[in-house]
C-alpha cells in the first residue's frame, strides 16, 4: 500500500503565476536601480524624468506601434 502525501500549497501554484512573480521582482529591482534622472529632448520640448519612467514609456510606445502594425497587416489581407 502506497501512501500519498498531500500536495503542498506551493505545488498548487500554476507556472504562469511563478513567472509573473519573477517578472515582478525583476521589475522592482530594475526600478530601484534606475532612479537617476534622464533628460529627454524632442524638438523644442525638454523633459526630465527618472530613467525607469523613460524606458517604460518607450516600451509602451513600441508595444503600441507593434499592435497597430499587426492590426493593419491583418486588415490589409
Amino acid at each position: 500500500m502506497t501512501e500519498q502525501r498531500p500536495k503542498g500549497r506551493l505545488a498548487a501554484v500554476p507556472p504562469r503565476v511563478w513567472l509573473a512573480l519573477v517578472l515582478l521582482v525583476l521589475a522592482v529591482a530594475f526600478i530601484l536601480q534606475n532612479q537617476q534622472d534622464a533628460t529627454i529632448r524632442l524638438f523644442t520640448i525638454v523633459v526630465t524624468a527618472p530613467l525607469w519612467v523613460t524606458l517604460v514609456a518607450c516600451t509602451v510606445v513600441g508595444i503600441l506601434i507593434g499592435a497597430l502594425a499587426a492590426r493593419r497587416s491583418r486588415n490589409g489581407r
Side-chain angles (χ1 to χ4, degrees), residues 6-63:
K7 286 187 176 182
R9 291 182 185 182
L10 295 179
V13 178
R16 66 180 178 188
V17 173
W18 286 113
L19 179 61
L21 288 173
V22 168
L23 291 175
L24 177 64
V25 168
L26 289 174
V28 169
F30 177 79
I31 289 169
L32 292 175
Q33 292 181 352
N34 291 289
Q35 292 187 356
Q36 65 271 21
D37 286 343
T39 301
I40 298 102
R41 293 178 183 90
L42 179 63
F43 304 118
T44 59
I45 301 169
V46 178
V47 177
T48 301
L51 180 60
W52 70 270
V53 171
T54 305
L55 293 172
V56 168
C58 288
T59 301
V60 168
V61 168
I63 290 170

